[in-house]
Amino acid sequence: MSDTGRLAAVPGRPAPDEKADAVGGGDAGATFATVGRIPFPVADLARLPAVRAARAGTRTVRMSGLLLRHMTAGDCEGVAAMRIRGWRHAYRGLVPQSHLDGLDIGADAERRRARLASGDGSVVNLVAEAEGGELAGWAAFGPYRDGEARTGDAELYALYLAPERIGRGVGRTLLT
């Protein structure tokens, strides 16, 4: 299961198996990122400042008052805490509370560290750091995953924000 899980159809959103060009007004020429199996139209990923910086090996980019940088092993605990807080915030009442209560920051941080250490460089993990060093968001993206088939498309694997940062442009900054 991906970091985002499998999302079911949601009213007002495309079903997970709908074609990408059926989303966002039918712009068949658009580049799409997917969350779970749901495609989302995004700008040409190669032109996004964060993607350009990551591909160029630049360690940091300052945008919208946030410092965007590559995630390090030292960020894994903070990212894990943000992920779990995000799950508990977003899925309260939708996922059994016992499952949400059982999420473990330490175990999740270990999984993040293992994935970060074993990566081949094809997955980019970016964190958005607010003033004072607090993590405000995390995004992971890389090649589109559809079995063994590889295309030139990209996939957004994960996008998490500190719940108190939702609606304040952190996610947009991570994606632009």
Side-chain angles (χ1 to χ4, degrees), residues 59-60 68-80 109 112-117 124-129 135 137-139:
R59 303 314 292 174
T60 62
L68 297 185
R69 60 178 177 76
H70 289 271
M71 185 171 120
T72 67
D75 294 318
C76 290
E77 194 81 19
V79 167
R112 301 287 124 231
R113 276 190 277 281
R115 286 183 181 167
L116 197 59
V124 175
N125 286 277
L126 295 176
V127 293
E129 187 178 296
L135 290 184
W138 165 62

Side-chain angles (χ1 to χ4, degrees), residues 86-107:
W87 268 75
R88 289 176 178 160
H89 175 81
Y91 297 115
R92 183 180 301 122
L94 299 173
V95 171
Q97 191 62 42
S98 60
H99 176 75
L100 297 174
D101 292 342
L103 296 173
D104 182 274
I105 292 171

Side-chain angles (χ1 to χ4, degrees), residues 18-49:
E18 287 185 32
K19 298 281 186 214
D21 62 4
V23 180
D27 184 0
T31 300
F32 291 85
T34 63
V35 176
R37 306 309 303 161
I38 299 176
F40 287 90
V42 294
D44 180 359
L45 292 175
R47 290 188 287 188
L48 299 177

Side-chain angles (χ1 to χ4, degrees), residues 1-4 71 76 83 108-121 123 125 138 145 157-158:
M1 181 183 282
S2 75
D3 286 324
T4 55
M71 185 171 120
C76 290
R83 287 186 71 234
D108 192 75
E110 280 304 311
R111 282 191 297 277
R112 301 287 124 231
R113 276 190 277 281
R115 286 183 181 167
L116 197 59
S118 67
D120 64 3
V123 175
N125 286 277
W138 165 62
R145 303 171 293 183
Y157 302 145

